[in-house]
Amino acid sequence: MPANEVNRTDELVTTDPEIMGGVPVFAGTRVPISVVLGSMAAGISLERIQPSYPFLTEAHTQAAKVAETEQPPTRPQRLSELNPELSRR
């Protein structure tokens, strides 16, 4: 992947534990990339999505696709993983 594509992704998509719990979002927003990518995967066009997210451009969707491939798959954590010192009763 070209360096300029990675840099552009870093400009348009951010991941911050303080914003939406670390879910990748479009920079400057609280819109998770998964919302837009999921809509597009369901066959909804960018033109139809844009009225809900006016900031959204083709560059944003491309950056989201790149960021999605960089994210490790996640699963909900078990309570025992979050707090190993707790024991079951």
Side-chain angles (χ1 to χ4, degrees):
M1 173 180 322
N4 63 342
E5 193 173 322
V6 172
N7 290 341
R8 186 71 174 152
T9 298
D10 290 342
E11 292 172 12
L12 298 175
V13 176
T14 63
T15 304
D16 182 341
E18 297 294 318
I19 301 171
M20 300 292 289
V23 170
V25 297
F26 293 103
T29 75
R30 296 177 65 80
V31 178
I33 65 171
S34 61
V35 170
V36 172
L37 293 178
S39 295
M40 294 180 82
I44 301 172
S45 69
L46 177 60
E47 292 76 25
R48 189 164 163 217
I49 297 170
Q50 282 176 320
S52 297
Y53 307 107
F55 68 89
L56 201 60
T57 65
E58 182 67 34
H60 283 93
T61 61
Q62 292 303 318
K65 290 174 184 176
V66 170
E68 183 181 52
T69 62
E70 294 175 350
Q71 294 295 317
T74 59
R75 65 170 177 77
Q77 290 186 315
R78 293 184 174 95
L79 183 57
S80 61
E81 293 172 355
L82 294 172
N83 232 335
E85 62 275 356
L86 292 179
S87 62
R88 289 184 147 185
R89 293 184 191 180

